[in-house]
């Protein structure tokens, strides 16, 4: 999720399941109300360390790891399936 070209959140199926389980009315909820605001990311320059990537995914119990450039702009996403 972007705001003024900055990555401010991520919305995954885990967020959707959590919103439904919490009784959020998805007909009126905004994305900012149900997204995860703390986006775990890795810099493009750190992509050569596969173990670091796997540690981030496992430690944070996430399935999507955002890849950002030096200006913190999103350039991609890593999943376990894409490794």
């Amino acid at each position: 999720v972007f705001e003024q070209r900055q990555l401010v959140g991520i919305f995954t199926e885990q967020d959707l399941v959590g919103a439904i389980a919490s009784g959020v009315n998805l007909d009126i909820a905004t994305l900012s109300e149900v997204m995860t605001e703390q986006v775990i990311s890795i810099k493009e320059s750190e992509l050569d360390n596969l173990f670091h990537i796997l540690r981030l995914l496992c430690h944070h119990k996430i399935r999507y790891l955002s890849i950002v450039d030096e200006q913190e702009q999103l350039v991609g996403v890593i999943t376990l399936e894409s490794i």
Side-chain angles (χ1 to χ4, degrees), residues 5-7 43-44 68-75:
R5 298 184 54 107
Q6 290 298 312
L7 184 61
K43 297 232 186 266
E44 255 182 319
V68 295
D69 63 16
E70 296 304 318
Q71 290 77 40
E72 297 294 318
Q73 297 294 308
L74 183 70
V75 295

Side-chain angles (χ1 to χ4, degrees), residues 48-82:
D48 59 343
N49 189 336
L50 180 60
F51 293 108
H52 179 59
I53 294 167
L54 292 172
R55 266 194 309 275
L56 285 172
L57 289 166
C58 292
H59 176 76
H60 294 285
K61 298 178 183 159
I62 56 175
R63 297 193 309 193
Y64 303 95
L65 181 62
S66 301
I67 305 167
V68 295
D69 63 16
E70 296 304 318
Q71 290 77 40
E72 297 294 318
Q73 297 294 308
L74 183 70
V75 295
V77 176
I78 297 175
T79 66
L80 283 175
E81 293 81 19
S82 68

Side-chain angles (χ1 to χ4, degrees), residues 36-53:
T36 299
E37 292 180 1
Q38 295 284 61
V39 181
I40 307 301
S41 61
I42 189 169
K43 297 232 186 266
E44 255 182 319
S45 59
E46 300 173 312
L47 290 176
D48 59 343
N49 189 336
L50 180 60
F51 293 108
H52 179 59
I53 294 167

Side-chain angles (χ1 to χ4, degrees), residues 2-50:
F2 294 93
E3 184 175 288
Q4 297 179 359
R5 298 184 54 107
Q6 290 298 312
L7 184 61
V8 295
I10 187 168
F11 182 74
T12 68
E13 66 270 9
Q14 290 175 325
D15 297 309
L16 178 59
V17 169
I20 292 169
S22 298
V24 173
N25 183 345
L26 297 177
D27 290 330
I28 60 172
T30 64
L31 193 56
S32 64
E33 293 173 335
V34 293
M35 72 181 184
T36 299
E37 292 180 1
Q38 295 284 61
V39 181
I40 307 301
S41 61
I42 189 169
K43 297 232 186 266
E44 255 182 319
S45 59
E46 300 173 312
L47 290 176
D48 59 343
N49 189 336
L50 180 60

